[in-house]
Amino acid sequence: MIRKALRIRVAALALASLVSVAPVARAQAGAETRDGIAVGGQSTVSRLVSAERLEREAATQYRSLLSEAASQGALAPDGHAQLQRLRRIAARITPHAARFNERAPQWKWEVNLIGSKQVNAFCMPGGKIAFFTGILDTLKLTDDEVGMVMAHEVAHALREHGRERAAKSAIAQGVTIGASILSQWLGYGDLGGMVAQTGAKYTMLKFSRGDETEADLVGMDLAARAGFDPRAGVTLWEKMAAAGKSQPPQWMSTHPAHDTRIEEIRRNLDKVMPLYAKATGRALGSLPPYRSNMGQAVR
């Protein structure tokens, strides 16, 4: 009985050490910025996945997506007014990308617009950006709000959240397999595997919410440096809340609740408003309230 109890304790400690690798790795890194939003260093866990390989795979997927959209007549041509608008906004944001990722100047940035009712946009590793017409048409986004959406998505790529998530998924899979083997060895069937799988699921959701919050904040910094009003992040999420359906409880969701995002944005505005004022050549105290095209105003 003592031997069995010892085996259980050893197994538990081994699993705990594996599960705790990811958060510890990021916590050890120092801040990278001196003004604006300060972030920790890139997660050491992400090194389990090659950045170059992930960027190549992303480029291949992006080409495939564009090809499919073109075959359905859904890919906006170069002369499309909304696509030109997106590319102008991107041209203001991407020069500031190197601040958060030293590889960014080597990326071949691309921006495309796809005809779809999806209220969505993304930036793949390596700077492959796509907007769906649904997010522009449904939310009636101002340039400042588009800047916030784009900078948020670019922040995901710069902070290598996709690379980190891929590495954590591999770790979670290994933990699940290890728990299953240990549980069967100890005579408990696959109980350990089921428990570890459930734990890994909700741990990954937590990491994803953390990624979203970090992308919101880094995106605010990028947008402000590019001359887009970061207060637009508040009206953006007010629009998203009005357009969206009911959300699952925050602890069950891969994204923070809209109110949580707005609160976090407001809490960090004082860090980025000086950047916006500088980018637009105005004194901080002379900035007027931000007012969206839907009537919302943010001071």
Side-chain angles (χ1 to χ4, degrees), residues 115-134:
S116 169
K117 293 182 179 180
Q118 290 188 55
V119 180
N120 206 358
F122 63 81
C123 179
M124 289 183 171
K128 307 303 183 186
I129 301 170
F131 269 64
F132 295 102
T133 53

Side-chain angles (χ1 to χ4, degrees), residues 219-236:
M220 287 173 62
D221 185 293
L222 288 170
R225 293 178 193 278
F228 296 105
D229 195 324
R231 294 171 294 185
V234 174
T235 59
L236 166 66

Side-chain angles (χ1 to χ4, degrees), residues 2 14 53 61-62 89 92 115 121 128 138 183 192 194 217 223 266 280 294:
I2 294 176
R53 187 183 70 183
Q61 293 176 10
Y62 189 71
I89 291 171
R92 290 168 58 180
K128 307 303 183 186
T138 302
S183 183
M194 290 186 289
L217 299 182
R266 285 187 181 277
T280 56
M294 304 298 284

Side-chain angles (χ1 to χ4, degrees), residues 6 8 20 42 48 66 69 77 82 103 109 115 117 121-122 137 143 170-171 174 190 239 252 270 279:
L6 180 59
I8 294 173
S20 66
Q42 300 288 359
L48 296 173
L66 296 185
Q82 287 281 42
R103 290 177 50 77
W109 294 89
K117 293 182 179 180
F122 63 81
D137 297 340
D143 281 1
I171 291 173
D190 196 30
K239 287 183 176 183
M252 290 280 289
D270 63 332

Side-chain angles (χ1 to χ4, degrees), residues 82 85 113 131-141 146:
Q82 287 281 42
R85 176 194 183 201
L113 177 63
F131 269 64
F132 295 102
T133 53
I135 194 169
L136 301 175
D137 297 340
T138 302
L139 302 185
K140 309 297 182 186
L141 299 179
V146 171

Side-chain angles (χ1 to χ4, degrees), residues 47-296:
R47 296 174 187 172
L48 296 173
V49 176
S50 165
E52 293 81 358
R53 187 183 70 183
L54 196 65
E55 290 165 14
R56 287 196 300 269
E57 292 174 354
T60 299
Q61 293 176 10
Y62 189 71
R63 296 266 75 79
S64 177
L65 174 65
L66 296 185
S67 179
E68 182 178 354
S71 70
Q72 298 178 14
L75 184 64
D78 289 339
H80 193 286
Q82 287 281 42
L83 176 57
Q84 291 181 341
R85 176 194 183 201
L86 292 174
R87 288 177 174 172
R88 286 195 300 270
I89 291 171
R92 290 168 58 180
I93 291 173
T94 55
H96 303 282
R99 184 175 186 83
F100 293 99
N101 190 310
E102 62 183 12
R103 290 177 50 77
Q106 304 169 27
W107 292 353
K108 296 181 179 179
W109 294 89
E110 292 185 57
V111 183
N112 282 284
L113 177 63
I114 298 172
S116 169
K117 293 182 179 180
Q118 290 188 55
V119 180
N120 206 358
F122 63 81
C123 179
M124 289 183 171
K128 307 303 183 186
I129 301 170
F131 269 64
F132 295 102
T133 53
I135 194 169
L136 301 175
D137 297 340
T138 302
L139 302 185
K140 309 297 182 186
L141 299 179
T142 65
D143 281 1
D144 288 309
E145 290 163 350
V146 171
M148 287 296 294
V149 172
M150 187 178 294
H152 169 96
E153 299 302 333
V154 166
H156 276 305
L158 295 177
R159 297 297 293 159
E160 298 187 330
H161 290 158
R163 183 184 178 196
E164 185 177 351
R165 190 174 297 119
K168 289 175 180 177
S169 294
I171 291 173
Q173 184 178 20
V175 169
T176 299
I177 294 171
S180 177
I181 293 171
L182 284 170
S183 183
Q184 293 179 53
W185 178 56
L186 295 172
Y188 293 113
D190 196 30
L191 177 62
M194 290 186 289
V195 170
Q197 189 171 39
T198 301
K201 175 183 177 182
Y202 291 111
T203 299
M204 292 302 289
L205 288 176
K206 181 180 180 182
F207 290 149
S208 187
R209 288 197 298 271
D211 290 348
E212 289 297 329
T213 298
E214 184 175 68
D216 282 345
L217 299 182
V218 171
M220 287 173 62
D221 185 293
L222 288 170
R225 293 178 193 278
F228 296 105
D229 195 324
R231 294 171 294 185
V234 174
T235 59
L236 166 66
W237 286 106
E238 289 175 344
K239 287 183 176 183
M240 290 287 282
K245 298 179 181 178
S246 60
Q247 294 178 294
Q250 182 169 329
W251 66 275
M252 290 280 289
S253 173
T254 57
H255 289 63
H258 296 320
D259 289 345
T260 302
R261 302 184 93 138
I262 291 172
E263 180 182 351
E264 191 69 18
I265 288 170
R266 285 187 181 277
R267 187 160 48 240
N268 286 276
L269 280 175
D270 63 332
K271 298 176 184 176
V272 295
M273 289 304 294
L275 303 177
Y276 170 61
K278 181 179 180 181
T280 56
R282 292 178 288 184
L284 182 61
S286 69
L287 293 173
Y290 174 76
R291 186 176 296 277
S292 96
N293 53 5
M294 304 298 284
Q296 301 104 314

